[in-house]
Amino acid sequence: MPGFSVSTVEQHLSRLLQGLLRPGERSALSEAASRWEIPRDPSFGDLSASLAFKLAAQRKAPPQAIAQELADGLLTASRMTVLKRWVDQIEAKGGFLNVFLSQAGLC
């Protein structure tokens, strides 16, 4: 990744997230997985996704449990890619995936 841009980070996160979805979920949720928003409250990170809510009915599981599973997988996967420079932390909070970007990587 030559330089930082939020849209580039979003694209990389979305690709990694697609890889964490189960086969039956990928086609139905491809658009939802690529939607990242900038939270109004900075305590929720720099980017946020609500994908776990869309998966909850399909998996018959609480959104928070799904978000935690995805956050753990996404953080592990991002550490093995160019995202390791820009992603500091990924957490599941209230069913949302919250991504905190690294200030050192942004400089």
Side-chain angles (χ1 to χ4, degrees):
M1 199 179 325
F4 171 81
S5 81
V6 172
S7 68
T8 302
V9 171
E10 289 174 349
Q11 289 170 1
H12 281 277
L13 286 169
S14 294
R15 271 190 237 121
L16 291 176
L17 196 52
Q18 283 292 322
L20 297 173
L21 297 177
R22 297 173 184 169
E25 299 167 343
R26 289 185 187 128
S27 60
L29 296 170
S30 61
E31 183 182 328
S34 62
R35 267 195 238 136
W36 291 93
E37 297 179 4
I38 297 173
R40 290 182 193 164
D41 183 342
S43 71
F44 296 126
D46 299 295
L47 296 169
S48 184
S50 60
L51 176 62
F53 292 97
K54 293 169 179 51
L55 293 171
Q58 191 171 356
R59 290 190 182 184
K60 296 180 174 64
Q64 179 60 27
I66 295 168
Q68 188 62 58
E69 176 188 327
L70 294 174
D72 292 343
L74 196 54
L75 184 60
T76 299
S78 70
R79 295 285 183 240
M80 295 185 277
T81 70
V82 294
L83 285 176
K84 66 184 171 194
R85 180 175 170 196
W86 287 284
V87 173
D88 184 44
Q89 173 185 340
I90 301 174
E91 70 174 16
K93 190 171 187 178
F96 288 88
L97 285 172
N98 299 320
V99 177
F100 295 81
L101 300 177
S102 167
Q103 295 305 308
L106 301 179
C107 298

